[in-house]
Amino acid sequence: MATTREASAITKKQLAMRDLHWPGMETWLWNRKANKGFATIPKTMPLILKIMDEMTKGAPVSSTYLTLWCHTWDNSYVILNKHGDMANASGFGGQRGEHTWATRMKKLQELKFIDIKPGKSGPMGNAIIFNPHFILRWHHSIKTPGLTATSYAALVETALEIGAGDMLVEWTPFPPDGEPPVIPQPVIDAAAKAKVDLPTTGGAE
């Protein structure tokens, strides 16, 4: 994982290379620091979306997931009050657009990438997006059909390259609606514990 200084050096080098090949194009580039309306995404997102579609072959969910992510305010929470707009942004138009979008949302919920709660808009009123790295690690641990070894390996390798700690940290996978695993406590010898617990008097024996 690159340090802050190394990352700054990489950024400067890339900017120099960009300006070498495309000089004077600064005003034509989108800048999140100068424009409102942006979302923060992990650099592994393309692989995450690819894996999602492999896991839901025949009913891809990636466009629905990305649309949902882009409706957050960097808090992993979305108020689902514009179903038609979200369906359209996800690529589902026509009379059955909202129905198709809703089925994709339910599939994302079944796979535990998100959870849905009722609200003013009805049964599908609020959504929370869970960390996709943790969810995919859990799916890998239970061998969910559709999650291929090749795609998962590519995700892990990319995580290593960019230093995505949530894909690399030692962790016993469990779903967000499950109980965290019980971590065994170290066994302390009774005699040793008793000795440690004895108060000190300050005097010599």
Side-chain angles (χ1 to χ4, degrees):
M1 183 176 179
T3 64
T4 302
R5 181 177 296 179
E6 289 172 337
S8 178
I10 292 171
T11 299
K12 289 179 180 179
K13 181 179 179 180
Q14 289 195 345
L15 284 175
M17 291 292 290
R18 185 196 72 190
D19 292 340
L20 172 66
H21 295 292
W22 292 279
M25 291 289 110
E26 184 69 29
T27 57
W28 284 95
L29 306 179
W30 187 84
N31 185 346
R32 70 176 179 84
K33 295 179 180 179
N35 297 283
K36 293 183 178 180
F38 62 88
T40 305
I41 66 171
K43 287 190 174 184
T44 54
M45 185 62 85
L47 285 170
I48 292 169
L49 298 178
K50 173 179 179 288
I51 291 172
M52 283 181 171
D53 285 348
E54 290 173 349
M55 294 173 69
T56 56
K57 191 173 182 179
V61 296
S62 61
S63 63
T64 302
Y65 183 80
L66 186 59
T67 298
L68 195 65
W69 193 292
C70 289
H71 275 75
T72 69
W73 290 87
D74 271 357
N75 56 12
S76 300
Y77 167 70
V78 183
I79 298 175
L80 305 174
N81 59 353
K82 296 181 179 179
H83 294 185
D85 290 349
M86 297 191 77
N88 183 62
S90 301
F92 309 122
Q95 294 182 346
R96 293 184 55 81
E98 283 191 39
H99 173 76
T100 304
W101 171 80
T103 60
R104 299 296 199 272
M105 287 286 290
K106 290 175 182 176
K107 189 62 180 179
L108 285 168
Q109 183 180 31
E110 289 173 12
L111 291 170
K112 304 190 187 298
F113 286 108
I114 68 172
D115 193 30
I116 301 169
K117 297 291 185 181
K120 290 192 297 182
S121 300
M124 196 170 287
N126 302 275
I128 188 170
I129 304 174
F130 297 121
N131 184 331
H133 288 159
F134 285 158
I135 301 304
L136 287 174
R137 290 182 68 177
W138 173 68
H139 280 297
H140 180 257
S141 73
I142 64 172
K143 297 179 172 54
T144 298
L147 179 54
T148 68
T150 300
S151 293
Y152 189 77
L155 178 63
V156 173
E157 289 175 12
T158 302
L160 281 168
E161 292 171 3
I162 65 175
D166 49 359
M167 272 298 297
L168 308 172
V169 67
E170 188 173 339
W171 175 65
T172 302
F174 62 93
D177 57 353
E179 292 295 327
V182 177
I183 302 174
Q185 297 299 313
V187 177
I188 301 176
D189 179 79
K193 185 177 187 300
K195 186 175 180 180
V196 171
D197 290 342
L198 286 175
T200 56
T201 60
E205 293 182 353

